[in-house]
Amino acid sequence: AAKRASTVSCAWMPEGRVPSDVNSFVKDRFNIIGKAGLLQYKETVLRIGHLGAFNNRDALIFAAAYDLAFHSMGQTRHVGVGLDAMSSWLGD
């Protein structure tokens, strides 16, 4: 049987958006490489791998980059919505 790493974070994409929309933005601007979901989730889930050390700082950087991407695509009214949510979730 195949083994799979459990070191991937996923997020649902907003209605009408696909992972390639946002992944291009963060790769070009921040050199963060995200991927689409697998199988039936290919167009609805965004994945980012974090093999090795992954801490709160890394999670906040990830959230800030995607926050800017979603804002630039008109998905959020204010920059910082995603970053605030991640910060609250982490308890920072």
Side-chain angles (χ1 to χ4, degrees):
K3 299 203 182 227
R4 297 173 193 225
S6 59
T7 53
V8 174
S9 294
C10 298
W12 292 105
M13 291 297 298
E15 186 74 32
R17 296 291 180 180
V18 294
S20 59
D21 292 342
V22 68
N23 285 334
S24 297
F25 181 96
V26 296
K27 182 175 186 262
D28 292 345
R29 287 162 183 80
F30 305 108
N31 202 30
I32 293 174
I33 300 172
K35 295 291 181 183
L38 300 173
L39 304 172
Q40 71 266 32
Y41 301 107
K42 185 176 180 179
E43 299 299 321
T44 58
V45 171
L46 164 69
R47 297 179 300 137
I48 187 161
H50 38 82
L51 221 50
F54 188 79
N55 55 36
N56 288 6
R57 179 183 166 271
D58 297 322
L60 291 168
I61 290 168
F62 163 77
Y66 281 91
D67 191 7
L68 287 171
F70 284 122
H71 180 72
S72 76
M73 296 184 318
Q75 292 298 137
T76 59
R77 285 187 166 161
H78 306 287
V79 174
V81 173
L83 186 57
D84 286 345
M86 179 64 80
S87 182
S88 292
W89 185 79
L90 291 171
D92 289 349

